[in-house]
Amino acid sequence: MKVSEIKKKFLKEIEKINSFKELEEIKLNYLGRKSGILTKVLHSLKKLPIEERKKVGKEANSLKKEIENFISLKFEKLKTKEEKEKLLKEKVDLTCPGKKVYLGHLHPLTLVLREIKDIFLRMGFEVVEGPEIENSVYNFDALNIPKNHPSRDLWSTFWLDSALHFSSHTSRFLLRTHTSPVQVRYMEKHQPPFRIIAPGRVFRHERTDASHEIQFYQVEGLMVDKNINLSNFKAIILHFFEEFFKKKVEIRLRPSYFPFTEPSVEVDIKFKSKIKNQKSKKEKWLEVMGAGMVHPNVFKSARLNPFNWQGFAFGVGVDRLAMIKYKIPDVRLFYKGDLRFIQQWR
Ligand code: PHE
């Protein structure tokens, strides 16, 4: 093939090249060391007569340079093209709206518990805790609830497996049915005067419904000094409710019975707004806690002299307060783990 024809052919082909692979191929095809089209021409020069050899040799050499130039030009072109495509692919649209990251948040019962603690801390109460697995002595006997006494039936109990029991048989393990055992545990180790609250989980072996769960939270309160009386209780608890609900409320103490308090009362609270799933806006008294003056026998259980000390105790249902505060119609919602419910506190 003539040098000029080779050039024509090359120019036609290089035009169509669109990838590094094709570029490599065409380079090999023309300039390849053994069978490159142009290489062959250069090799065959020595067979030509001297005049022609000079002429063809000059042409072939300048075409070689030209081809090399074309190839490196094409190479650069392909490279910029590739870079452009890469950038286009990796493009970040800064105007795109971001994906929202959901942070964790506190459970409504945790929020309410924290609020209760804060209010009592501000009134000089100390926060103490007791075990959820309790023994029957603290849960019942020390609270003036003797074995075989009908009052024990007030609390349907989850008893634990006998493997855990003390050998004496006078005490059995159970899931505490209320936070009142913490009263005795605390008084055994501390001398009055004191004021404490004991928040925690309690368990009842009961059928569940909209207002009953087998587990719920209570906050126990206990204030003991030389001359604490029920009007102290009334003042403190009224202040607590007004702080908690952030509005004026009315309370009333109704006579009741608990083995560990004497006298015993039930505290009702009156709202003017709509409560729970009631249709009417009529005022209603809602029962929210049990309370009373610490029974002399409870002081005795803790080795305190009931002639020296007196005080009040109360037990309030945290779930109940949360239900009232957030207008929750069913206590079981707190424990279902349904995110549609829980995330309302986000
Ligand atoms: N422990 C009682 C209950 O769970 C509540 C209570 C506590 C009543 C303290 C009086 C005094 O029902």
Side-chain angles (χ1 to χ4, degrees), residues 155 177-180 183 204 218 220-221 258 260-261 265 290-292 313-315:
W155 295 274
T177 61
H178 49 181
T179 42
S180 299
Q183 289 184 35
R204 301 270 170 95
Q218 279 189 337
E220 193 80 7
F258 296 102
F260 33 89
T261 44
V265 294
F314 63 86

Side-chain angles (χ1 to χ4, degrees), residues 271-275 278-284:
F271 286 94
K272 302 227 162 72
S273 48
K274 200 175 153 193
I275 300 150
Q278 278 154 238
K279 298 244 157 51
S280 70
K281 281 213 169 185
K282 265 206 336 229
E283 302 176 338
K284 214 207 156 186

Side-chain angles (χ1 to χ4, degrees), residues 80-342:
T80 35
K81 192 178 135 220
E82 189 192 58
E83 270 162 13
K84 250 192 208 154
E85 279 169 359
K86 204 172 147 202
L87 280 178
L88 217 64
K89 238 200 258 165
E90 291 174 356
K91 192 171 100 173
V92 176
D93 182 358
L94 293 176
T95 65
C96 266
K99 275 195 195 129
K100 194 167 176 184
V101 177
Y102 288 118
L103 297 178
H105 62 95
L106 296 175
H107 190 278
L109 288 179
T110 310
L111 291 173
V112 165
L113 265 166
R114 287 193 178 180
E115 205 170 350
I116 296 173
K117 284 188 216 167
D118 279 349
I119 297 169
F120 278 105
L121 283 169
R122 288 202 292 273
M123 290 194 279
F125 280 71
E126 193 190 332
V127 179
V128 302
E129 277 181 17
E132 288 176 358
I133 293 178
E134 190 48 282
N135 69 59
S136 55
V137 170
Y138 283 107
N139 197 83
F140 294 126
D141 305 71
L143 289 167
N144 195 34
I145 315 168
K147 240 189 225 97
N148 305 321
H149 191 280
S151 67
R152 201 171 275 213
D153 298 340
L154 289 173
W155 295 274
S156 335
T157 309
F158 281 111
W159 294 96
L160 295 186
D161 215 355
S162 56
L164 281 169
H165 295 155
F166 290 143
S167 50
S168 68
H169 292 296
T170 54
S171 139
R172 290 178 67 193
F173 281 110
L174 48 77
L175 296 181
R176 67 175 173 193
T177 61
H178 49 181
T179 42
S180 299
V182 189
Q183 289 184 35
V184 183
R185 286 184 176 275
Y186 187 83
M187 286 197 288
E188 278 180 339
K189 298 209 173 94
H190 299 84
Q191 274 296 311
F194 50 68
R195 43 185 115 168
I196 58 159
I197 56 164
R201 197 153 51 135
V202 302
F203 307 85
R204 301 270 170 95
H205 191 187
E206 283 174 344
R207 182 189 287 267
T208 65
D209 60 32
S211 45
H212 294 87
E213 245 301 3
I214 58 165
Q215 58 165 354
F216 54 97
Y217 284 83
Q218 279 189 337
V219 171
E220 193 80 7
L222 177 67
M223 182 169 183
V224 178
D225 204 335
K226 291 278 176 210
N227 46 21
I228 298 294
N229 56 47
L230 268 187
S231 42
N232 298 131
F233 167 70
K234 196 172 177 185
I236 282 179
I237 221 62
L238 181 64
H239 179 74
F240 163 71
F241 281 132
E242 295 192 338
E243 290 274 293
F244 183 77
F245 291 112
K246 297 190 172 64
K247 59 176 160 195
K248 287 265 173 254
V249 297
E250 230 180 287
I251 61 170
R252 87 181 164 192
L253 307 188
R254 219 164 7 88
S256 184
Y257 170 74
F258 296 102
F260 33 89
T261 44
E262 181 58 36
S264 301
V265 294
E266 206 102 38
V267 182
D268 295 345
I269 181 167
K270 189 161 86 175
F271 286 94
K272 302 227 162 72
S273 48
K274 200 175 153 193
I275 300 150
K276 261 175 119 184
N277 38 9
Q278 278 154 238
K279 298 244 157 51
S280 70
K281 281 213 169 185
K282 265 206 336 229
E283 302 176 338
K284 214 207 156 186
W285 288 101
L286 261 182
E287 182 190 314
V288 284
M289 66 162 76
M293 296 302 292
V294 179
H295 195 289
N297 286 347
V298 177
F299 282 129
K300 282 185 202 157
S301 305
R303 278 187 258 286
L304 289 179
N305 186 344
F307 291 102
N308 291 346
W309 304 108
Q310 61 185 48
F312 64 76
F314 63 86
V316 62
V318 175
D319 305 59
R320 196 81 205 274
L321 293 184
M323 284 169 78
I324 298 169
K325 184 165 183 142
Y326 298 122
K327 301 189 170 67
I328 311 296
D330 193 323
V331 64
R332 292 169 294 190
L333 287 165
F334 288 128
Y335 302 95
K336 276 212 174 109
D338 186 335
L339 291 180
R340 291 168 303 176
F341 174 73
I342 301 294

Side-chain angles (χ1 to χ4, degrees), residues 39-82:
T39 317
K40 273 187 196 152
V41 174
L42 285 164
H43 277 317
S44 61
L45 282 179
K46 50 185 176 285
K47 289 180 202 150
L48 297 176
I50 186 118
E51 279 308 308
E52 214 166 325
R53 194 191 299 175
K54 266 190 190 163
K55 188 177 155 257
V56 178
K58 214 174 162 188
E59 282 173 4
N61 270 319
S62 81
L63 180 59
K64 191 181 171 203
K65 266 195 197 116
E66 242 179 304
I67 287 181
E68 281 167 350
N69 271 343
F70 268 111
I71 284 178
S72 69
L73 249 151
K74 193 79 186 183
F75 182 85
E76 290 305 319
K77 249 194 202 159
L78 285 176
K79 217 167 115 185
T80 35
K81 192 178 135 220
E82 189 192 58

Side-chain angles (χ1 to χ4, degrees), residues 24-40 43:
E24 198 52 44
E25 275 165 16
I26 198 175
K27 188 175 171 186
L28 216 74
N29 197 23
Y30 283 85
L31 306 177
R33 217 184 258 215
K34 271 187 193 144
S35 48
I37 297 171
L38 196 64
T39 317
K40 273 187 196 152
H43 277 317

